[in-house]
Amino acid sequence: MLETLTRGFEAARERLAGVRRLDAANVKTALAQVRRALLEADLDQPLVNDFLARVSARALGEKQATRVRDATGQLRKVSPGQHFVACCERELVALLGPGEPALEARDGVTSVLLIGLQGVGKTTLAAKLARWLQSEGKRPLLVAADLQRPAAAAQLEQLGRTLDVRVLRGAPQETPPALCARARALARNESFDALLYDSAGRLALDDALMRELEAIRHAAAPSNTLLVCDALMGRDAVNVAAAFAARIPLSGLALTKLDGDARGGAALAMRSATGVPIQFLSTGEGLDRLEPFRPEGLASRILGMGDVVGLVRDFEQVVDTQQAERAAEQMLKGQFTMEDLLGQLRALQKLGPLEDLLAKLPIPGGLRAPVDEGELGRVEAMIQSMTRAERRAPELINPSRAERIARGSGHSKADVLGLQQRFRKMRKMMGALGGNGGGGGGGLPELAGIPGLGGGDPATPLGDQGGNRQLRRQSRARARAQARNKRKSARKARRKG
Ligand code: GDP
Ligand code: MG
């Protein structure tokens, strides 16, 4: 996802490796790398120029903190390269705009009309949102208001079946607006509190489509109108989005197929082209490949620094939220054990493609991390051969213990010691991430170069320190909401039974 951009920012950082301070000349050299990547990712020249000018002004204008205190209280150096990355991060976040993943509800009912060209992923997104709203405790109804293609309703019905969500489809001769009005009445009578209207697209923008969408919007009176845009379409997607936005009042954008394209510059241009916030990212065909949009998360992934907050959210989907919260806190304090790691590896395996997860880890070099699915199994085998004490305090593992663990797990002593070393680095890195040093004023915990994972001037997770505190707060709030929903559905079930 967005590898072109990531490579450009990494190249820029490499240019700054070893420089003693940022100056007009070295910032210019670094920005040339960024420029090339942005243009290659299909962004317009004016937008690129504007972005580079902002980064440059920030990098040269801001007083640079040279030292910052990390979570463990140690003073760490901030390199000019890291300061430059921090400037890029702030400008990327500004460009991507505020994240507004919450959907509006009206009188307790969340309704969403999805519009966009044909094939961009509207029908798939309707089902993903139904699933998402279900997990928030809502009872959704899917409305197949694409009556252009007979196969469209069948596709939605198929998706609805997998989610156990009812799908309302048009009667013969029924128009899309009539169907939408019928859906609203049905929702009132049968207490559905979420409505997802899938609409028809066309291959290109035309007046007939716009008129149909206006009529549907009038009949459905949705509390949200989302424009679905395909990141694969590059610059075209941006033009199409601007045209939609000019004609139909939109509340938000959903960007799809971010998994499918290395360029994806559209993602960066969409917000400024439409003036509408990005709300969701779709990163795959599976119904679980939906992410509420967080500009910080996307920016730090673009910079090759991972998205720890997003990673923790993913964990919450498959593990108990209380446990996830504890794990996140431990991770961010740099206090987790091999047992935690084992638990997380098991959760990882439930989380889907490893590559997606790695992209969210703050590993220098991002996707190029030399870990594969087989590696997970090997790590698991080694941890299982450790004693309880060793898992809790891996420092205990001396050469003779390593020998025993190696024999027990069918690996070499070097493998075991390698795991121990990587684990310690990871713990240290996480600890640095969770630190309170620096605050918003540009403080960056420095990470040791991690052999085999990039080296050079390593990527710096930007210690989004306030964000981590916020993350913990949000995660607690989410746990409470989930518990509430669980109680609510248990009550409902009792009443029914
Ligand atoms: P619609 O015509 O706008 O309703 O588009 P569909 O929902 O039918 O999707 C068109 C195709 O794109 C289908 O094959 C989907 O599986 C696929 N698709 C949708 N969203 C994504 C995504 O985020 N990533 C990828 N790789 N494929 C997607
Ligand atoms: Mg469709």
Side-chain angles (χ1 to χ4, degrees):
M1 176 170 134
L2 308 177
E3 291 87 354
T4 307
L5 294 171
T6 305
R7 271 198 301 275
F9 285 104
E10 279 174 356
R13 198 160 53 213
E14 273 158 32
R15 289 294 157 110
L16 294 171
V19 310
R20 292 178 62 86
R21 53 177 303 117
L22 295 179
D23 60 30
N26 58 32
V27 166
K28 193 169 165 207
T29 318
L31 285 178
Q33 301 294 324
V34 176
R35 172 188 300 276
R36 193 188 307 161
L38 292 175
L39 292 174
E40 206 181 311
D42 245 355
L43 278 160
D44 269 341
Q45 190 89 43
L47 189 133
V48 172
N49 290 343
D50 185 55
F51 177 76
L52 297 178
R54 283 166 192 274
V55 173
S56 172
R58 203 181 258 281
L60 296 172
E62 255 177 29
K63 189 176 172 314
Q64 189 189 327
T66 50
R67 290 186 185 268
V68 60
R69 207 169 284 284
D70 76 2
T72 59
Q74 272 178 308
L75 269 182
R76 292 173 181 273
K77 261 171 68 181
V78 179
S79 71
Q82 288 168 336
H83 180 69
F84 176 80
V85 171
C87 296
C88 291
E89 201 254 356
R90 299 217 178 98
E91 291 304 331
L92 274 177
V93 167
L95 185 62
L96 289 166
E100 293 186 28
L103 290 170
E104 290 285 327
R106 200 181 298 135
D107 302 326
V109 178
T110 305
S111 51
V112 186
L113 169 61
L114 297 173
I115 68 174
L117 292 184
Q118 193 169 309
V120 293
K122 295 179 297 299
T123 304
T124 311
L125 186 69
K128 289 179 178 181
L129 288 174
R131 181 179 180 275
W132 193 63
L133 288 163
Q134 245 179 345
S135 78
E136 308 259 289
K138 292 261 182 187
R139 183 164 176 252
L141 173 67
L142 282 161
V143 187
D146 174 0
L147 304 179
Q148 296 282 324
R149 295 181 309 131
Q155 182 192 356
L156 197 61
E157 272 180 338
Q158 162 73 31
L159 293 167
R161 258 196 303 278
T162 67
L163 294 172
D164 204 15
V165 168
R166 174 137 166 222
V167 177
L168 186 66
R169 61 185 295 175
Q173 312 300 320
E174 195 173 28
T175 62
L179 172 65
C180 293
R182 189 155 65 89
R184 284 174 74 188
L186 179 74
R188 265 194 307 276
N189 293 337
E190 302 194 13
S191 57
F192 287 97
D193 54 7
L195 280 137
L196 297 150
Y197 300 95
D198 181 25
S199 73
R202 299 275 200 290
L203 286 174
L205 272 182
D206 63 36
D207 201 52
L209 172 66
M210 291 298 191
R211 275 202 306 273
E212 176 176 319
L213 292 175
E214 278 165 347
I216 289 182
R217 192 167 175 277
H218 185 72
S223 53
N224 305 269
T225 304
L226 288 189
L227 178 65
V228 185
C229 302
D230 177 338
L232 285 173
M233 285 170 53
R235 214 167 292 201
D236 279 347
V238 181
N239 297 335
V240 166
F244 268 109
R247 177 94 180 238
I248 307 219
L250 301 172
S251 54
L253 304 171
L255 302 183
T256 59
K257 309 192 188 176
L258 276 171
D259 54 311
D261 191 28
R263 290 166 304 145
L268 296 186
M270 220 42 120
R271 158 84 202 190
S272 60
T274 60
V276 174
I278 304 171
Q279 291 191 285
F280 295 96
L281 303 181
S282 169
T283 58
E285 294 188 85
L287 294 186
D288 56 344
R289 314 304 298 157
L290 176 73
E291 296 183 19
F293 174 64
R294 289 178 25 261
E296 300 80 12
L298 190 58
S300 76
R301 260 186 277 175
I302 288 172
L303 290 170
M305 302 184 311
D307 174 9
V308 174
V309 178
L311 187 64
V312 172
R313 298 255 160 90
D314 286 349
F315 276 127
E316 288 179 345
Q317 303 270 314
V318 294
V319 298
D320 173 72
T321 40
Q322 305 274 339
Q323 190 194 329
E325 187 185 333
R326 197 185 66 90
E329 271 188 49
Q330 300 287 92
M331 271 165 85
L332 293 170
K333 281 193 211 146
Q335 286 178 351
F336 65 120
T337 66
M338 288 267 191
E339 274 171 347
D340 297 322
L341 180 63
L342 186 59
Q344 286 170 10
L345 285 180
R346 292 201 175 124
L348 264 178
Q349 281 151 351
K350 285 195 249 166
L351 276 170
L354 189 56
E355 207 185 308
D356 293 5
L357 292 169
L358 285 175
K360 292 185 185 168
L361 276 172
I363 296 174
L367 289 174
R368 295 190 296 280
V371 179
D372 56 37
E373 305 280 346
E375 168 87 5
L376 280 189
R378 287 192 288 277
V379 169
E380 190 167 345
M382 286 188 271
I383 298 179
Q384 271 167 342
S385 296
M386 293 175 191
T387 63
R388 220 158 180 204
E390 287 162 352
R391 288 184 200 176
R392 297 217 167 136
E395 306 72 61
L396 288 178
I397 303 173
N398 57 19
S400 80
R401 284 175 184 251
E403 184 93 55
R404 193 204 76 241
I405 296 166
R407 264 200 315 278
S409 62
H411 289 81
S412 75
K413 198 167 133 187
D415 288 337
V416 176
L417 292 172
L419 170 65
Q420 180 198 30
Q421 197 183 23
R422 271 188 297 161
F423 178 80
R424 281 159 73 166
K425 290 228 161 88
M426 184 167 147
R427 192 157 67 174
K428 197 164 157 200
M429 179 155 82
M430 293 296 186
L433 253 180
N436 293 316
L444 305 174
E446 192 185 61
L447 300 173
I450 304 222
L453 295 182
D457 178 15
T460 309
L462 285 178
D464 168 24
Q465 292 92 355
N468 288 329
R469 237 171 291 134
Q470 192 187 355
L471 157 68
R472 289 198 282 271
R473 228 179 6 249
Q474 284 173 354
S475 149
R476 276 194 291 272
R478 209 184 152 104
R480 281 195 298 274
Q482 285 191 353
R484 249 196 325 273
N485 286 334
K486 237 182 237 168
R487 283 196 299 275
K488 203 161 111 190
S489 43
R491 269 202 304 279
K492 240 185 228 164
R494 272 202 302 279
R495 247 181 281 139
K496 267 194 199 150

